[in-house]
């Protein structure tokens, strides 16, 4: 993608000195990358070591060490004479990631149908309480956040640690993709209705239906990205 890059200041706080500074820096930077709108802008996202050092209140050494680990894990990339950039996936990679997520989350839904407590399912429904009488599009930021938490909770309620580990690194990109796509083509209203159907299937303890609805819901995102997505080439 040919475009001017943007030096980005991450939303992070100074570190406490009760554990490895590299580990703390790694956790803080990774969390900030996870929460940023990485697919909501056209320009590349460049990180500034000096600014990170200032914001976290540590020297640049643990910042460099943390960025090295993040580069090894594929979250950032170092470009000679240009700096450190947040890695964003190509359209093809994004679609492949969504397909993998669909398989993992749908299995989590199947497991959650028998493993989740009634209280946990009630809490899942409560995520969308504020949108009962109003269109999600009227409160897009709030709905987008509820949407992300919903999918995280489906993974959690499945109770499979291996699935949770496998989705952890995918989540950084899936979150960014969902945050952008839910604002397009009236997807928020359709998304809300599909979420309600998934919750109803879970409450009914219908594992087959819950698994199918989650899979179809997520593959619908893949189809949307295929048709409308504009991502790095």
């Amino acid at each position: 993608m040919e475009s001017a890059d943007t030096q980005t200041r991450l939303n992070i706080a100074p570190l406490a000195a009760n554990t490895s500074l590299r580990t703390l820096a790694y956790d803080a930077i990774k969390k900030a990358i996870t929460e940023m709108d990485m697919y909501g802008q056209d320009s590349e996202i460049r990180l500034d070591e000096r600014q990170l050092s200032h914001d976290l209140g540590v020297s640049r050494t643990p910042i460099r060490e943390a960025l090295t680990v993040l580069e090894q894990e594929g979250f950032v990339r170092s470009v000679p004479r240009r700096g450190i950039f947040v890695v964003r996936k190509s359209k093809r990679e994004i679609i492949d990631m969504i397909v993998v997520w669909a398989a993992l989350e749908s299995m989590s839904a199947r497991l959650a149908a028998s493993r989740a407590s009634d209280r946990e399912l009630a809490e899942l429904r409560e995520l969308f309480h504020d949108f009962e009488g109003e269109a999600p599009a009227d409160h897009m930021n709030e709905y987008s956040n509820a949407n992300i938490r919903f999918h995280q909770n489906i993974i959690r309620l499945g109770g499979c640690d291996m699935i949770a580990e496998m989705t952890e690194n995918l989540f950084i990109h899936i979150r960014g993709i969902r945050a952008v796509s839910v604002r397009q083509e009236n997807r928020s209203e359709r998304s809300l209705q599909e979420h309600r159907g998934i919750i109803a299937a879970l409450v009914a303890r219908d594992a087959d239906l819950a698994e199918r609805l989650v899979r179809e819901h997520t593959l619908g995102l893949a189809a949307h990205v295929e048709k409308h997505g504009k991502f790095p080439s």
Side-chain angles (χ1 to χ4, degrees):
M1 179 179 64
E2 296 295 331
S3 60
D5 52 74
T6 302
Q7 182 172 297
T8 301
R9 182 170 183 176
L10 298 181
N11 182 24
I12 47 183
L15 300 178
N18 59 351
T19 189
S20 159
L21 289 179
R22 185 190 75 175
T23 299
L24 288 170
Y26 166 87
D27 289 342
I29 297 170
K30 184 176 180 180
K31 181 176 184 291
I33 292 173
T34 300
E35 295 175 350
M36 76 189 320
D37 186 11
M38 67 168 63
Y39 291 103
Q41 53 188 295
D42 293 331
S43 57
E44 292 190 278
I45 303 169
R46 183 165 65 89
L47 305 182
D48 183 352
E49 275 187 18
R50 197 174 290 111
Q51 187 65 57
L52 289 170
S53 174
H54 177 269
D55 290 344
L56 291 174
V58 297
S59 72
R60 293 174 69 175
T61 297
I63 299 298
R64 290 195 189 101
E65 292 173 346
L67 290 173
T68 296
V69 176
L70 288 166
E71 183 169 20
Q72 291 169 351
E73 294 180 345
F75 295 113
V76 301
R77 60 188 173 88
S78 176
V79 180
R81 296 182 297 279
R82 290 187 62 202
I84 302 290
F85 294 82
V86 173
V87 169
R88 297 189 296 176
K89 300 297 185 180
S90 68
K91 183 174 180 176
R92 185 69 261 160
E93 289 172 323
I94 288 168
I95 292 170
D96 287 347
M97 291 171 72
I98 296 171
V99 169
V100 172
W101 185 279
L104 296 172
E105 188 182 359
S106 61
M107 177 52 71
S108 291
R110 167 171 282 278
L111 296 172
S114 61
R115 295 181 177 181
S117 68
D118 291 344
R119 179 176 180 178
E120 287 173 324
L121 295 180
E123 291 172 351
L124 196 63
R125 179 184 283 119
E126 189 65 22
L127 286 173
F128 303 108
H129 175 74
D130 292 342
F131 311 103
E132 292 294 334
E134 300 183 55
D138 294 337
H139 305 278
M140 189 52 71
N141 287 338
E142 293 84 354
Y143 181 75
S144 179
N145 289 333
N147 178 43
I148 298 301
R149 292 198 303 275
F150 174 80
H151 292 286
Q152 285 180 296
N153 281 334
I154 293 290
I155 297 292
R156 179 179 61 81
L157 294 178
C160 178
D161 291 341
M162 182 64 72
I163 290 179
E165 290 174 12
M166 293 173 71
T167 56
E168 181 180 355
N169 289 344
L170 287 176
F171 177 71
I172 286 181
H173 299 280
I174 297 295
R175 179 191 183 281
I177 296 157
R178 287 193 183 280
V180 171
S181 64
V182 78
R183 292 171 164 81
Q184 301 169 338
E185 298 284 308
N186 196 33
R187 282 187 57 81
S188 60
E189 186 61 43
R190 186 161 63 253
S191 165
L192 179 57
Q193 295 306 317
E194 292 175 359
H195 288 166
R196 287 172 175 160
I198 292 166
I199 293 169
L202 289 169
V203 170
R205 305 297 178 177
D206 189 333
D208 289 341
L209 181 59
E211 179 180 20
R212 178 172 64 80
L213 291 178
V214 168
R215 183 171 58 250
E216 291 175 351
H217 175 71
T218 303
L219 291 179
L221 174 62
H224 176 82
V225 170
E226 181 73 69
K227 184 176 181 182
H228 302 286
K230 295 181 179 179
F231 298 103
S233 59

